[in-house]
Amino acid sequence: MIGISFYLNDQFAEQRIMEASKKGVKRAFTSLHIPEETGHLAQKAKHLLQVAKQHEMEVYADVSKHTPIHLQIPQLEDLVTLGVTGIRLDDGFEVEDIIYLSQFFKLAVNASTVSESFLTALVTAGIEANQLIGWHNFYPRRETGLDEVFFRQQNHMFFQQQIPVIAFVAGQKEKRGPLFEGLPTLEQHRTTNTLLAAVCLVEEGISSIYIGDPEFNEEIVNALADWNKHRILTLRMVTETLPACTYQLRPDRSRDVVRLQGTRTSQSIKPSQTIRRPRGTITMDNERYGRYQGEVHIGLNDLPADERVNVIGHIHPEDIELLELAQQAYSLRLIRE
């Protein structure tokens, strides 16, 4: 479902592969476009592929027709012995090349640039759809990521042929150089929370999502697994009042707030901090709200002060945009920063 990316010039690549594998991530992307003037990277590439293989990691590699020369191997199909499961083909490969290579690899064609006529030619030529993947580019430069409408049009070509599609999201913290602007497929995801971007791609029908930047983020991996399996949304909170816990949400969804079930109480709650409530504010109804006393809400919109509602904390600023998912969640896992 989710994969990492590792790069040959990253001094922590081996460590990232091992950490991700231990946490259950078994897919990785790498690029084997190795400039000839940096031939010393060939040995590092072979070493990292071996590490990934030892940790049962499926590696999909970006390749060109020059990759065998740079890696000092006779031919592309020899990548199989190095631990490469699938290859993502650069421009310059003809239909005949792809048919031949499909005997050895899962083949990823560039979903961001391929034409419908070329995709049809591949299928007509006899390549089984289950051997093909549509794999989008990532875009290091700001303002060059894909447009959402174009993204959907490209995906539709693959979906019609029942070919899975893969895309990238940017890392949450560490960004890959030299631009350090994130490596998303969609431009709108460049500065979006990684979990939110990943969930949006899942809803678009994307089969697998790779973090384009080199970081391994265990929290994101766990949060995405929780979401996919149980629709649990994890949010960091800043409060001394509310216990860290997983809370069920009411099935009837409100416009302005997320309502936590089982939080009402018969104990007296005096009015306190009855101030305005910006989006992401955590509140508890006080005794002036009668039978609602103790009910905890998280604001989805900016709301005014109400003498019946106590402000008890707020969602961590970096997680507020995740509230976009709250209406689709079954539960909220609230944790302390």
Side-chain angles (χ1 to χ4, degrees), residues 37-79:
E37 64 270 21
T38 55
H40 68 281
L41 290 180
Q43 290 306 313
K44 184 168 185 181
K46 292 176 181 178
H47 172 70
L48 291 176
L49 290 173
Q50 185 62 31
V51 171
K53 185 176 182 180
Q54 291 170 349
H55 287 80
E56 301 179 335
M57 189 83 74
E58 288 187 357
V59 176
Y60 290 80
D62 224 356
V63 301
S64 71
K65 288 193 170 183
H66 300 293
T67 295
I69 296 172
H70 296 154
L71 278 183
Q72 302 165 5
I73 57 176
Q75 50 204 359
L76 274 175
E77 49 265 43
D78 291 318
L79 289 173

Side-chain angles (χ1 to χ4, degrees), residues 62-251:
D62 224 356
V63 301
S64 71
K65 288 193 170 183
H66 300 293
T67 295
I69 296 172
H70 296 154
L71 278 183
Q72 302 165 5
I73 57 176
Q75 50 204 359
L76 274 175
E77 49 265 43
D78 291 318
L79 289 173
V80 172
T81 60
L82 296 180
V84 174
T85 301
I87 54 177
R88 184 174 181 272
L89 302 174
D90 192 17
D91 295 336
F93 288 91
E94 303 297 333
V95 171
E96 294 76 16
D97 300 321
I98 298 173
I99 292 172
Y100 173 73
L101 290 170
S102 69
Q103 302 174 67
F104 307 97
F105 303 100
K106 280 270 192 179
L107 291 179
V109 295
N110 193 328
S112 300
T113 61
V114 72
S115 67
E116 187 167 8
S117 59
F118 187 79
L119 187 61
T120 300
L122 287 178
V123 176
T124 303
I127 294 182
E128 296 292 333
N130 62 10
Q131 278 297 103
L132 285 176
I133 300 168
W135 199 313
H136 282 285
N137 289 338
F138 55 55
Y139 294 89
R141 188 199 186 281
R142 276 186 180 269
E143 303 160 357
T144 63
L146 294 186
D147 169 74
E148 188 176 7
V149 173
F150 175 78
F151 177 71
R152 288 172 177 162
Q153 291 171 345
Q154 290 294 105
N155 294 344
H156 182 66
M157 294 190 305
F158 290 90
F159 295 159
Q160 281 186 311
Q161 302 284 357
Q162 297 185 318
I163 298 171
V165 178
I166 292 171
F168 290 97
V169 293
Q172 190 71 26
K173 297 177 181 177
E174 183 180 348
K175 310 296 186 184
R176 186 188 182 202
L179 297 181
F180 304 101
E181 298 279 9
L183 298 176
T185 290
L186 287 171
E187 186 60 36
Q188 70 182 50
H189 288 165
R190 189 171 300 279
T191 58
T192 298
N193 180 287
T194 302
L195 175 61
L196 177 58
V199 170
C200 290
L201 290 179
V202 170
E203 292 177 350
E204 292 285 347
I206 301 304
S207 300
S208 295
I209 295 146
Y210 285 70
I211 300 174
D213 291 294
E215 72 174 71
F216 169 66
N217 191 317
E218 180 183 350
E219 291 75 19
I220 292 296
V221 171
N222 292 340
L224 187 58
D226 284 342
W227 178 266
N228 288 333
K229 292 177 183 177
H230 308 294
R231 278 295 193 272
I232 298 173
L233 177 61
T234 301
L235 298 172
R236 291 172 292 174
M237 62 178 179
V238 180
T239 179
E240 298 299 324
T241 304
L242 193 65
C245 186
T246 299
Y247 295 89
Q248 294 296 115
L249 303 183
R250 285 181 62 109

